[in-house]
Each structure stands twice: as C-alpha cells, then as structure tokens.
C-alpha cells in the first residue's frame, strides 16, 4: 500500500467532503498543511487576522451550504479563530478548523505557544478531536466533516506539527456522509396539532430560520386557516418574499405589526423558531412548537405541544387535517396593522430637511440601488437593525447579521468569504464604524485577494447601540465615543475606491457610484449619532429610564445631547 503524508490525507479528505476554500494565515506548525493545500484543488485565502478568516469561512458556508475550512498555526494562530468560530457555530454554518499544535513530544510540557485547544474549542463545536497518530488522520478528518455538515456547525481537527508531516499507509477509505432524512411528527401528534389549531380563534404562525425550503407550505397554511405570519430576524429572507400573510418581525428589533400578531393571538404555532426572548411570547395562548431538534422544545417558553419534524414535511402532512377557516377578521386586522407599520418605516426613510443623514435613509438608498440578487451583511448593533427593517427581501437577495452570537465586526469579513464563494453576486457590507475599525486590517485582504466587496460605513463616531442601551437604562453614555479617521482616505491608501459623504443632498449619487464600481469600494457616511432604535412596544420602564438619562445629562452639562435626541426621534 502506498504511503502519503498526513497533511495530504487531511486536505484530500476535506476536498472530497466539499471544501473549496481554506481561510487563514500561514506559519510554523501549519506549513505542511498549507503546502498540501498548494498542491490540491482547494484555494487558500490569505487573511490578515484569523478571526476574520473564521467569519469569512462562516459566511461562505452559510450562504452556500458547503463545508468550508480555515486553518491556523499553534498557540495564538489557532486561538485567534475563536470568536469567528463561535459566530459560525451559532449561525449553524458547516465550518471545519484545522488547528495545528506543537510537536507531540512537547504537549503537556508548557512548551512555548502550547495552548489546550481542545478545552477551548469543545465549547463552540460539534466535534473536536486530536489526530493522535498518523493512522487516524483520514478517519478523524472524515468524522469532523461529517459532524459539521450534518449537525450544522463547527468541527475542529487538532494536528500536532510533527504528525502533519509524517508519512503513513493510506488505510481504510473513510469519508464524510451527508444523508437527507425525512423527519415529521407521528400521526397521533399531527392529529393533536390539527385539533388545537382548528379550535383556535386567532391563530398566528411564527416562522424561524428552520422554515427555509418550506415557504410554499407556510403560505398555504396561512391561507387555509387565515393566519398572519410573523417571523424571526433570521427568517427574513425566506418568509417575507411572495407572502401576502407576512406581518413582519417581532422582538426588540422587530416591528409593531409582528409584535401585535403574536401578542393578540390565542394559538401560536412556532415553526423552526428558537426565539430566545420570552417576554415577546403571548401570555395567554396555546403554544405548539415544531423543531427538528427535540432539545429545543419548550426551552425558551413553555409550550402546550412540542413535536419533532422538519417544517416542510410536517406542514405537508398537517395541511389535509385542518379545517378551512372562513373568519378573516383576525388576519384582516393584522394585515391592516402591517400597512400602518410599513407606512411608518417608509416615513423614517425620507431625507432630513436640514441635510442630516438618518441611517434609515442611507439604508433605503442602498436598498434602492443594490442588485436584485445582492447579498447584505451587517455588523451587530444598529446596522443590523437598519438592514432587517429597511432592506427588501425578494426571494433572491440574502441578508446575514450576527443575530445569535451578537458580535461586532462580523459584516466585512463575512462579505469577503461570501464574495469569494459567489463572485457573480453583489456583496455589500453595512459596517458600523466601531465594527469596521476592530478588524480594519482585512480590508487589505479584499485588495490582495481581488475580492470586490462594497463597504458602507455608518459613521456616527460612537458605539451607537451600546450608547442607546445606556440611555434606555437611565445611564449617562460612557466610553462609547469613537475618534475615527476619515475611513474614505484610509481605504484609498489601502487600494479601495472610496468616497465620504456628510450631507444628504449628495448621498444618493455617492451610493450609486460606489455600488457600481467594479473593484473593492467603500463609502464613509456621517450619519445621525442621536438616532434611537425604537422597539415595537415601548415599555413604561424604558420611558422612565430615558427620562432619567435626560435629567442626568442636563445636570451634568449635556443638555444639547438631550435636545438632539428629542428633536431627531420624537419631534417631527
């Protein structure tokens, strides 16, 4: 039997599992792996920071469904991936990390750059294992790929440097499998679901990201039982298009019509939704939950019936058991409320008379001039809110934000990976100034790797979402000030085409110009610092705390800030 280097076996097995790209930074214990990649059909994407590499890999994996790799050196190299891998894992993106380690003889000896990677990556992966001997390489790699693809998340292969360069017999032909089972509740459970839904007078469907691929069935169900369809933020791309029953998102970054449809129902059908905030569930309603993972049933809020199944197959089996509903009143009222909400959102998108740039107006212009199949990434914080509220979904566009992990700096690196994987699609990063600054170095990756992403910077010279949180809690905004450079000049030095806009009158032309540029391009926009993210329902405590902030600000000499806050958010 012929012998192969372990590094070649790992790379070969990952390529067979579907890996097309590997993101990382080369060095010492990784050198034999990268040499194997050089000789393989996998492309190496040279990043400037490993965290950005993991986010790029996660963006590619989530948008394509393909297994995507990243790789790092021992110690700090592999350790730098951790936040990006948490992001990928919580997004359920199939990513595999090749984390190289010091030589086997030095493990456990507190050797320079030695880190207990398994103890760390066990917390953000479905699979994390050492290659303890050369003979294990193919099996460990195949199992890692199989775990990432089927459980949807991260898998980690830890490879000591001396093992990666060892030669070994090829051994048994282990490979990753990706079966496609059909999963639905039992007939008895389906009958119980139908009975509960038929008994409801005001039924609302609440769709989560698990509804991807079940769009037609959800519309058919809503039509038959005359139910409004609310959705989580992560379900936006699948539920909004071609859905006359859609009433929007709920939650703190949701909209009033989505909140009301859930709050006013007497029966709520949770479909592939694992929405975490219990205060946004109805207080006096029957809850039915459908999820492919039994451990998710009732973990956010008590449910009256929890069943295991894929949403599409479950609804296909459930629809014939349901009565055709004649009463349209609840649906009609919910859709009327949706019209009012959409009118309010459109009003927020208008340009200000004094030239001030509201972030909603900026997002509206990006939405208007972006391609019909554009992909939008948004930093955690206020850019995430503006994307979810003001970017239109049409069935071809996609959005990606950090909704579960809630990290800063996710947008630009994710855009790099998505554009690398889908070069024909327009990919637009809606970046906060704080988020962009955090991983600014990987703008160089866009130039070096010829990745023509578009970056729109929401420049409000602050950690805006944190500042809003502090104000709502009645605190003075503290340590949120950002002294920013001119991002347009900085990007130009790096090699981007760039522009800066500070007045609304010139914004639309600049948006068109930057989005149509053939190479990497950045638009630095000075937006209103005092914009509040208004939740769908204002709680009395929030009003009290905001008033408390106002009193504190005035007493501490920040009265002008209070005036601007009121004028920009509450005075027409």
């Amino acid at each position: 039997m012929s012998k192969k280097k372990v590094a070649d076996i790992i790379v070969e097995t990952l390529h067979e599992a579907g890996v097309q790209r590997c993101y990382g930074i080369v060095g010492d214990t990784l050198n034999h792996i990268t040499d194997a990649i050089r000789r393989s059909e996998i492309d190496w994407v040279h990043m400037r920071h490993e965290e950005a590499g993991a986010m790029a890999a996660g963006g590619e994996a989530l948008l394509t469904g393909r297994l995507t790799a990243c790789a790092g050196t021992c110690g700090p190299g592999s350790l730098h991936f951790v936040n990006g891998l948490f992001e990928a894992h919580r997004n359920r993106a199939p990513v595999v990390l090749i984390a190289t380690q010091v030589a086997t003889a030095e493990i456990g000896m507190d050797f320079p750059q030695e880190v207990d990677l398994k103890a760390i990556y066990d917390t953000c992966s479905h699979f994390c294992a050492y290659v303890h001997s050369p003979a294990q390489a193919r099996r460990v790699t195949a199992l890692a790929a199989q775990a990432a693809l089927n459980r949807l998340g991260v898998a980690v292969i830890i490879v000591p440097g001396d093992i990666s360069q060892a030669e070994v017999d090829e051994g048994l032909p282990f490979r990753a499998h990706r079966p496609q089972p059909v999963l639905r509740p039992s007939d008895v459970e389906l009958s119980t679901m139908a009975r509960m839904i038929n008994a409801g007078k005001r039924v609302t469907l609440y769709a989560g990201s698990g509804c991807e691929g079940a769009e037609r069935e959800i519309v058919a169900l809503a039509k038959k039982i005359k139910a409004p369809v609310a959705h989580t933020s992560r379900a936006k791309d699948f539920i909004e298009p071609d859905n006359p029953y859609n009433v929007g998102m709920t939650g703190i970054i949701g909209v009033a019509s989505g909140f009301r449809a859930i709050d006013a129902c007497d029966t709520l059908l949770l479909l592939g939704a694992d929405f975490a905030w219990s205060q946004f569930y109805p207080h006096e309603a029957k809850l039915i939950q459908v999820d492919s993972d039994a451990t998710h049933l009732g973990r956010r809020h008590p449910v009256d019936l929890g069943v295991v199944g894929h949403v599409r197959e479950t609804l296909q089996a459930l629809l014939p058991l349901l009565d055709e509903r004649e009463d349209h009143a609840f649906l009609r009222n919910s859709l009327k409320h949706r019209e009012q909400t959409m009118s309010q959102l459109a009003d927020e998108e208008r340009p200000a008379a004094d030239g001030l740039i509201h972030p909603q107006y900026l997002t509206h212009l990006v939405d208007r001039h972006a391609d019909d199949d554009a992909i939008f990434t948004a930093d955690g914080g206020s850019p995430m809110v503006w994307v979810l509220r003001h970017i239109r979904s049409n069935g071809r566009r996609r959005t990606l934000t950090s909704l579960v992990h809630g990290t800063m700096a996710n947008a630009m690196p994710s855009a790099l990976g998505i554009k690398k994987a889908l070069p024909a699609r327009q990919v637009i990063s809606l970046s906060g100034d704080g988020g962009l600054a955090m991983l600014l170095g990987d703008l160089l990756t866009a130039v070096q790797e010829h990745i023509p992403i578009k970056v729109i910077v929401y420049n409000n010279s602050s950690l805006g979402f944190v500042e809003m949180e502090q104000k709502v809690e009645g605190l003075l905004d503290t340590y949120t000030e950002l002294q920013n450079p001119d991002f347009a000049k900085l990007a130009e030095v790096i090699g981007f085409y760039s522009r800066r806009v500070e007045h609304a009158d010139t914004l639309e032309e600049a948006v068109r110009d930057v989005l149509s540029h053939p190479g990497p391009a950045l638009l630095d926009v000075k937006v209103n610092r005092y914009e509040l993210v208004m939740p769908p329902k204002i709680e009395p405590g929030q009003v009290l705390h905001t008033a408390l902030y106002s009193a504190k600000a005035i007493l501490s000499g920040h009265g002008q800030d209070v005036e601007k806050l009121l004028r920009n958010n509450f005075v027409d």
Side-chain angles (χ1 to χ4, degrees), residues 501-529:
V501 175
E502 298 185 5
H503 195 282
D505 289 349
T506 60
L507 182 60
E508 184 163 12
E509 184 272 330
V511 168
R512 270 199 313 264
D513 180 38
V514 166
L515 292 184
S516 63
H517 184 76
L522 180 144
L523 177 62
D524 183 10
V525 183
K526 194 70 175 176
V527 297
N528 176 29
R529 177 170 182 169

Side-chain angles (χ1 to χ4, degrees), residues 45 61 94 105 117 144 182 188 212 240 245 279 330 336 359 404 414 444 469 541:
V45 184
L117 296 171
V182 174
V188 172
E212 183 178 4
E240 287 185 359
Y245 309 99
Q279 62 266 43
F330 181 58
K336 183 178 180 180
V404 183
S414 297
L444 293 163
E469 291 169 339

Side-chain angles (χ1 to χ4, degrees), residues 22 27 117 123 190 251-252 272 282 295 370 495 500 505 524 544 563:
C22 183
L117 296 171
T123 63
L190 288 167
I252 188 64
T295 66
R500 180 178 171 89
D505 289 349
D524 183 10
L544 176 63
E563 180 186 352

Side-chain angles (χ1 to χ4, degrees), residues 85-158:
L85 289 182
F86 262 102
E87 171 75 3
H89 193 57
R90 287 179 159 169
N91 281 340
R92 306 185 76 236
V95 172
V96 61
L97 168 66
I98 306 170
T100 58
Q101 180 59 288
V102 300
T104 308
E106 303 297 345
I107 293 176
M109 298 292 108
D110 196 23
F111 195 75
Q113 294 195 310
E114 181 189 0
V115 173
D116 188 352
L117 296 171
K118 182 166 173 54
I120 294 166
Y121 283 116
D122 267 337
T123 63
C124 62
S125 65
H126 291 306
F127 179 97
C128 183
Y130 267 89
V131 177
H132 287 288
S133 70
Q136 286 184 316
R138 191 179 300 276
R139 180 160 52 154
V140 169
T141 306
L143 290 176
Q146 188 164 288
L149 286 167
N150 290 289
R151 299 186 66 185
L152 295 179
V154 169
V156 180
I157 306 164
I158 304 172

